[in-house]
Amino acid sequence: MKKEIHPDSYRMVAFKDMSDGTVFLTKSTIQTKETEVVEGVEYPVVKLEISSSSHPFYTGKMKLVDTAGRVDKFMNRYQKHMDSRKK
């Protein structure tokens, strides 16, 4: 690794999946204003819309739940095409 180009301010940060509430702890340099208590310790928190705990590829579920409704909008728009493919 090259010297003096990597940040020195790594700290433990909680990443929270907002769709199912799962929290992951890892080291990061990201700056946040919000905090959350995990197992009695307060950590800075980063809120995620989707993570490996809720992503369909990792969970095996075909239905993707998202807050913006983008998947439902896509499925409604291309429903005829999807139905003709199934036949």
Side-chain angles (χ1 to χ4, degrees), residues 1 8-9 13 19 23 27 39 46-47 55 60 65 69 71-72 74 79 83 87:
M1 289 187 352
D8 294 327
S9 59
V13 176
S19 63
V23 177
K27 288 185 176 183
E39 298 177 358
V46 176
K47 295 180 179 178
H55 193 280
V65 178
V71 172
D72 292 332
F74 174 83
Q79 189 64 41
D83 290 340
K87 292 180 181 179

Side-chain angles (χ1 to χ4, degrees), residues 41-84:
V41 181
E42 189 173 11
Y43 296 103
V45 67
V46 176
K47 295 180 179 178
L48 306 171
E49 286 188 30
I50 194 163
S51 69
S52 62
S53 68
S54 62
H55 193 280
F57 179 80
Y58 297 106
T59 61
K61 296 179 184 175
M62 293 304 293
K63 180 72 175 168
L64 175 64
V65 178
D66 66 328
T67 57
R70 293 180 293 238
V71 172
D72 292 332
K73 189 183 289 185
F74 174 83
M75 293 304 283
N76 289 336
R77 188 180 305 148
Y78 294 102
Q79 189 64 41
K80 284 183 184 177
H81 175 71
M82 298 300 274
D83 290 340
S84 66

Side-chain angles (χ1 to χ4, degrees), residues 11-27:
R11 67 186 189 291
M12 292 301 288
V13 176
F15 288 87
K16 183 174 184 178
D17 186 337
M18 298 309 290
S19 63
D20 66 357
T22 305
V23 177
F24 300 97
L25 292 175
T26 188
K27 288 185 176 183

